[in-house]
Amino acid sequence: MNSAVDLPLGAAELTFEASGDALVRRSVLPSGVRVLTERVPGSRSATIGFWIAVGSRDEHPASAGLPATYGSTHFLEHLLFKGTRTRTALDIAVSFDAVGGEHNALTAKEYTCYYAKVQDKDLPMAVEVLADMLTSSLLDPVEFENERGVILEELSMAGDDPADVANERFFEAVLGDHPLGRPIGGDADTIRAATRDGVWQHYLANYRPRDLVVTVAGAVDHDRVVDALGSALVAGGWDLDTPAAPVDRRATVPALLGGTGRLTVVERPNEQVNLLLGVPGMLATDDRRATLSMLNAIFGSGMSSRLFQQVRERRGLAYAVYSFAPGYSDAGLFGMYAGCAPAKAPAVAALMRAELERVATDGVTDEELVRAAGQLGGASALALEDSDTRMSRLGRAELTLGEFADLDEALRRIALVTVDDVRVLAADLASRPFSLVAVGATDEAAFRGVVDEAPPSTDVA
Amino acid sequence: MNSAVDLPLGAAELTFEASGDALVRRSVLPSGVRVLTERVPGSRSATIGFWIAVGSRDEHPASAGLPATYGSTHFLEHLLFKGTRTRTALDIAVSFDAVGGEHNALTAKEYTCYYAKVQDKDLPMAVEVLADMLTSSLLDPVEFENERGVILEELSMAGDDPADVANERFFEAVLGDHPLGRPIGGDADTIRAATRDGVWQHYLANYRPRDLVVTVAGAVDHDRVVDALGSALVAGGWDLDTPAAPVDRRATVPALLGGTGRLTVVERPNEQVNLLLGVPGMLATDDRRATLSMLNAIFGSGMSSRLFQQVRERRGLAYAVYSFAPGYSDAGLFGMYAGCAPAKAPAVAALMRAELERVATDGVTDEELVRAAGQLGGASALALEDSDTRMSRLGRAELTLGEFADLDEALRRIALVTVDDVRVLAADLASRPFSLVAVGATDEAAFRGVVDEAPPSTDVA
């Protein structure tokens, strides 16, 4: 069966089959809480995610006497592990450690996700503990100060990783003042300035039934999860009876981005230059997502890709080289990465841009198209063996896409992509203003020719 | 069933059940080639590994007119992807990319492993291509020079990663002049000095039937793999008829290590200090491995562990903090890691050492013991859902351990561990000379008290 199922925000109950005999069920509770499960026959474990529809893009500057909330989403994610009305931080840690479960959280630009992977027998525990963290965290002031130190160390660790630094600066370079351009975790200044009260307000404002999506994949019984979740949320003080519409993050109006690229060089005495070059890309919901996946596979994913062959195999200029194409609700990026010797960095940047322009003018071959379809299909089939991937796919379907496409449907869409589609999309991307970030022992002058910057403004004295 | 099955090097055929209905089969071909498969019911994919019993520890200095081979094992691993008598580098890449397979290799201290994860239908392809790479690589001189550049970039990337730098230096600090103390990939000097002829000799000397172990887990038919592998190796020119005993890497005689610790500081203008503190540990085959796993779980693995609670949760001093305990054929390490602010690094190092000493004197609680057993059991059960883990477990059983212990047997051994066993082992470890590596904005004087260095020798003028 090829199935793409719409997920209207108001629908109460949906049940449908996904490929591989999996059964997907979705409930929208009156309060706006959404629950999606994917039961995979034969599975002995499950991955569960609690998604809150708030990310770093939703933070705001100080206004009307209220403090800025930059960094608060990630700070709050940390604090939810630090104790509730009935559980200490150690209790929470012990719950998952004692059963060998994986348990963590991540803050992203458009959501925050708390997740766990456990054996089937431990799923009720995971529902209860995660619900407790979401509804009943204390944000204890002493724990708050300890965790400030932990987060500052996390930022320092990222600050010492040149690839991380390049990545943060790249979003800023390509997306400019758009909220998606900001770093996810804030910075040391915003974390030092954060107050317990400010983060508490952020918690109250964003952790509500209408913001919550719970997804589970693997060995799961939908009705039991809905019951257990409802009980746990109510026990945590949430009102599940008052009707509310789920938060809608499925915007499809493209953001207006600036018309010029930016060049950012972070000078460091490193052995390599970490290079990122790219342009504004496609929304998560763009009709051309299948074409974009094919382009990305052919251009920069895998050892047979254009970038790998041209930069690494033929010339030995880099060890790591690839492209990537993340999509968000109202913006996206198309980027290329390489780590290379400082003396070679300008040539590598020019080569990467030229390769994209070559696809834009000369297109790709039928052979590459067939290979990319096989690559995406095979990789997806392997990835779906893991309940983590299925859990994440459900969350993305609900929060971002508004539809669930199973593997067969995804493959059908990929099979429809033509060489001409790929060329036209590459031409569209290559016509957009290129930005570049370089972290390492280099300087701006080296990259002027590769970036579509606005000419420097001349100040009139 | 609790099964621990001996794997004598000379046995021709073995078949036994492992927990979870998996069936393990092992064949030792007359030439010394060993094949182990684990058929997992219901699996639709397989992970295959070709293991060669040679690692960085087997490299040697220049002698008798022959060049040094430092870095050659890793250099050779790269070159095996660069083309055979019948396949170009692109052909090899396309084989796996076209089916969306994962395909890579890793060089370790005691082995080199080439592996692939594919859907069941693609396993014959994986056997054929991997066998071709192993038997028939050209080491083309032009590709050799290109790949030298790639490897230098890989080393530079690692050189820019403070955690990588600390890790390499830590093995050297704890193990000293032992061959396991050397960096796996060599260094820029050894890679610049490497010659095609030297690596070719390394290839001829170490890639022989008696060095090869092939392991497959997932959707696999043992007899078909043995047949296909035999055909592919013979097609590649290998002689599978001449009797030879498999290479034995299961040495259990502990290496004699130096009696003092070492202090290594790599000064860098980083935000964090990357700290590694530790002592010589246990062999891979040590009878106390189950106790060591329990100690490591209680002490430094997971959010409820001693190190996490003391360093991160209570004091907010680090984001990443944990312990680890790798074992090799004749030596091992017990190490603790933390990344922290430079001003706090000496205190964190002292705290970590004191925590191990506290376990050595005060022991652990019954509650911690029960929790750790649950943690190891649950984590192992989840890990074994993945054919990657099973494939690796087979390789380790054959190459290093000489026995295959299934999950039930591993849990039985863990259940036998007592709080006293853990305390005694911690006391043994804590009595060994501590070494420390710090990478960051710090200096040696800060750490003198934490390390059991020999006093500086006084030169008599």
Side-chain angles (χ1 to χ4, degrees):
Chain A
M1 180 187 67
N2 292 330
S3 63
V5 178
D6 279 336
L7 305 172
L9 291 171
E13 294 289 339
L14 280 175
T15 301
F16 50 91
E17 283 180 25
S19 35
D21 297 329
L23 188 75
V24 178
R25 290 187 58 188
R26 174 180 186 252
S27 300
V28 181
L29 309 187
S31 56
V33 170
R34 290 165 279 176
V35 185
L36 291 90
T37 63
E38 184 169 355
R39 186 162 58 76
V40 181
S43 179
R44 296 291 309 275
S45 69
T47 305
I48 180 168
F50 279 57
W51 307 68
I52 293 284
V54 64
S56 58
R57 72 165 296 162
D58 304 302
E59 297 169 354
H60 51 71
S63 74
L66 292 171
T69 61
Y70 296 142
S72 292
T73 312
H74 177 244
F75 206 140
L76 180 58
E77 177 231 296
H78 273 243
L79 290 170
L80 258 57
F81 288 81
K82 300 293 287 183
T84 69
R85 289 192 289 270
T86 56
R87 284 181 172 86
T88 64
L90 182 59
D91 290 337
I92 293 170
V94 165
S95 298
F96 289 96
D97 279 355
V99 299
E102 296 161 22
H103 177 220
N104 215 329
L106 70 92
T107 305
K109 290 182 186 278
E110 299 195 315
Y111 61 83
T112 312
C113 181
Y114 303 81
Y115 59 90
K117 183 173 189 173
V118 291
Q119 296 179 78
D120 48 9
K121 68 179 174 54
D122 301 314
L123 185 57
M125 176 280 292
V127 171
E128 189 182 322
V129 176
L130 288 166
D132 189 38
M133 290 167 56
L134 250 76
T135 58
S136 306
S137 278
L138 294 177
L139 280 62
D140 174 84
V142 173
E143 299 284 7
F144 188 90
E145 290 310 320
N146 271 342
E147 208 58 23
R148 192 200 303 276
V150 172
I151 294 167
L152 287 170
E153 289 308 319
E154 186 179 6
L155 291 175
S156 291
M157 184 178 75
D160 285 340
D161 181 332
D164 264 17
V165 172
N167 190 54
E168 292 278 26
R169 302 302 297 269
F170 184 61
F171 275 79
E172 187 183 283
V174 175
L175 300 175
D177 296 332
H178 188 283
L180 287 168
R182 287 198 302 266
I184 288 174
D187 58 34
D189 288 340
T190 63
I191 296 303
R192 283 200 197 92
T195 64
R196 191 263 175 196
D197 255 17
V199 178
W200 181 257
Q201 292 305 323
H202 194 69
Y203 183 36
L204 292 185
N206 293 293
Y207 282 59
R208 304 161 303 177
R210 57 193 300 255
D211 301 289
L212 176 63
V213 172
V214 175
T215 68
V216 195
V220 55
D221 178 303
H222 183 79
D223 293 323
R224 281 195 208 165
V225 165
V226 170
D227 286 350
L229 177 68
S231 302
L233 294 175
V234 169
W238 275 21
D239 169 11
L240 297 188
D241 294 326
T242 304
V247 166
D248 185 3
R249 300 226 59 151
R250 303 166 182 178
T252 55
V253 180
L256 289 174
L257 299 174
T260 59
R262 287 174 188 79
L263 171 57
T264 304
V265 171
V266 181
E267 291 191 41
R268 297 214 177 170
N270 290 347
E271 296 183 40
Q272 282 196 316
V273 169
N274 276 258
L275 268 184
L276 281 167
L277 175 69
V279 297
M282 309 290 148
L283 310 199
T285 49
D286 195 290
D287 288 341
R288 294 163 293 176
R289 286 299 291 182
T291 303
L292 183 62
S293 297
M294 293 288 275
L295 170 62
N296 190 51
I298 293 168
F299 184 68
S301 174
M303 295 188 190
S304 65
S305 68
R306 295 276 184 105
L307 281 183
F308 196 94
Q309 289 292 316
Q310 292 294 333
V311 177
R312 174 165 163 171
E313 291 290 73
R314 293 200 192 166
R315 296 178 178 85
L317 293 170
Y319 172 72
V321 56
Y322 55 83
S323 63
F324 55 105
Y328 301 93
S329 63
D330 62 351
L333 288 87
F334 186 83
M336 309 169 230
Y337 169 85
C340 60
K344 308 283 179 62
V348 169
L351 177 60
M352 292 201 296
R353 179 168 179 163
E355 281 301 314
L356 184 61
E357 288 168 342
R358 197 156 68 89
V359 177
T361 49
D362 301 346
V364 297
T365 65
D366 289 326
E367 194 189 333
E368 285 177 312
L369 198 77
V370 170
R371 186 200 309 160
Q375 182 177 351
L376 294 172
S380 300
L382 290 175
L384 288 176
E385 293 189 347
D386 199 328
S387 61
D388 308 20
T389 307
R390 289 179 187 263
M391 184 283 284
S392 294
R393 182 176 62 161
L394 289 176
R396 188 169 168 79
E398 179 63 43
L399 276 170
T400 308
L401 302 176
E403 69 156 18
F404 178 93
D406 73 0
L407 180 60
D408 293 333
E409 172 64 14
L411 296 182
R412 192 187 65 82
R413 292 177 185 180
I414 278 165
L416 293 174
V417 175
T418 66
V419 290
D420 212 49
D421 292 336
V422 174
R423 186 189 54 73
V424 169
L425 181 62
D428 181 352
L429 291 169
S431 73
R432 301 180 182 196
F434 277 80
S435 294
L436 184 144
V437 173
V439 177
T442 187
D443 58 60
E444 294 194 5
F447 301 102
R448 287 255 175 260
V450 190
V451 181
D452 300 308
E453 280 183 295
S457 61
T458 308
D459 288 332
V460 179
Chain B
M1 179 187 70
N2 293 329
S3 62
V5 178
D6 278 335
L7 304 172
L9 291 171
E13 294 289 338
L14 279 175
T15 301
F16 50 93
E17 282 179 26
S19 35
D21 297 330
L23 188 76
V24 178
R25 290 186 59 188
R26 174 179 186 254
S27 299
V28 181
L29 308 187
S31 56
V33 171
R34 290 165 280 177
V35 184
L36 291 89
T37 62
E38 184 170 356
R39 186 162 56 77
V40 181
S43 179
R44 296 292 308 275
S45 69
T47 304
I48 180 168
F50 279 58
W51 307 67
I52 293 284
V54 64
S56 57
R57 72 165 296 163
D58 304 302
E59 298 169 354
H60 51 72
S63 74
L66 291 171
T69 61
Y70 296 142
S72 292
T73 311
H74 177 244
F75 206 140
L76 180 58
E77 177 230 295
H78 273 243
L79 290 170
L80 258 57
F81 289 81
K82 301 292 288 181
T84 68
R85 289 193 289 270
T86 56
R87 284 181 173 85
T88 65
L90 182 59
D91 290 337
I92 293 170
V94 164
S95 298
F96 289 96
D97 279 354
V99 300
E102 296 161 23
H103 176 219
N104 214 329
L106 69 92
T107 304
K109 289 182 186 281
E110 299 196 316
Y111 61 84
T112 312
C113 181
Y114 304 80
Y115 59 91
K117 182 174 189 174
V118 292
Q119 297 179 77
D120 47 9
K121 68 179 173 55
D122 301 314
L123 185 56
M125 176 281 292
V127 171
E128 189 182 323
V129 176
L130 287 165
D132 189 37
M133 289 166 57
L134 249 77
T135 58
S136 305
S137 279
L138 294 176
L139 280 62
D140 174 85
V142 173
E143 299 284 7
F144 188 89
E145 291 309 322
N146 271 340
E147 208 58 23
R148 192 198 303 274
V150 172
I151 294 167
L152 288 170
E153 290 307 319
E154 186 179 3
L155 291 175
S156 291
M157 185 177 75
D160 286 339
D161 181 330
D164 264 17
V165 172
N167 190 55
E168 293 278 26
R169 301 303 296 270
F170 184 62
F171 275 79
E172 186 183 283
V174 176
L175 300 175
D177 295 332
H178 189 283
L180 288 168
R182 287 198 302 265
I184 289 174
D187 58 33
D189 287 340
T190 62
I191 296 303
R192 283 200 198 93
T195 63
R196 191 262 174 198
D197 254 17
V199 178
W200 181 257
Q201 292 305 323
H202 195 68
Y203 183 36
L204 292 185
N206 292 293
Y207 282 59
R208 303 160 303 178
R210 57 193 298 255
D211 301 288
L212 175 65
V213 172
V214 175
T215 68
V216 194
V220 54
D221 179 302
H222 183 80
D223 293 323
R224 280 195 210 163
V225 165
V226 171
D227 286 349
L229 176 69
S231 302
L233 294 175
V234 169
W238 276 22
D239 169 12
L240 297 188
D241 295 325
T242 304
V247 166
D248 186 2
R249 298 226 61 150
R250 304 166 183 177
T252 56
V253 180
L256 289 173
L257 298 175
T260 59
R262 287 175 187 78
L263 170 57
T264 305
V265 171
V266 181
E267 291 190 41
R268 295 215 178 170
N270 289 347
E271 297 182 40
Q272 283 196 317
V273 169
N274 276 258
L275 269 184
L276 282 167
L277 174 69
V279 297
M282 309 289 148
L283 309 200
T285 50
D286 195 290
D287 288 342
R288 294 164 294 176
R289 283 301 289 182
T291 303
L292 183 62
S293 297
M294 293 288 275
L295 171 62
N296 191 51
I298 293 168
F299 184 68
S301 175
M303 294 188 191
S304 66
S305 68
R306 295 275 182 105
L307 281 184
F308 195 94
Q309 288 292 317
Q310 292 294 334
V311 177
R312 175 166 162 170
E313 292 288 72
R314 294 201 190 166
R315 295 178 179 84
L317 292 170
Y319 172 73
V321 57
Y322 55 82
S323 63
F324 55 103
Y328 301 92
S329 62
D330 61 351
L333 289 89
F334 186 82
M336 309 167 230
Y337 169 84
C340 60
K344 308 284 180 61
V348 169
L351 177 61
M352 293 200 296
R353 178 167 180 164
E355 281 301 313
L356 185 62
E357 288 168 342
R358 196 155 68 88
V359 178
T361 49
D362 301 346
V364 298
T365 65
D366 288 327
E367 193 190 334
E368 286 177 312
L369 198 77
V370 170
R371 187 200 308 160
Q375 182 178 351
L376 294 172
S380 299
L382 290 175
L384 289 177
E385 293 189 346
D386 199 328
S387 61
D388 307 20
T389 307
R390 290 179 187 262
M391 184 284 284
S392 294
R393 181 176 64 161
L394 289 176
R396 188 168 168 79
E398 178 64 43
L399 276 171
T400 308
L401 303 176
E403 68 157 18
F404 177 92
D406 73 0
L407 180 60
D408 293 333
E409 171 63 14
L411 296 183
R412 192 187 66 81
R413 292 176 184 180
I414 278 166
L416 293 174
V417 175
T418 67
V419 290
D420 211 49
D421 291 337
V422 174
R423 187 189 54 73
V424 169
L425 181 62
D428 181 352
L429 291 170
S431 74
R432 301 180 182 195
F434 277 79
S435 294
L436 184 143
V437 173
V439 177
T442 188
D443 57 60
E444 294 194 5
F447 302 101
R448 287 254 175 260
V450 190
V451 181
D452 300 309
E453 280 184 295
S457 61
T458 308
D459 288 332
V460 179

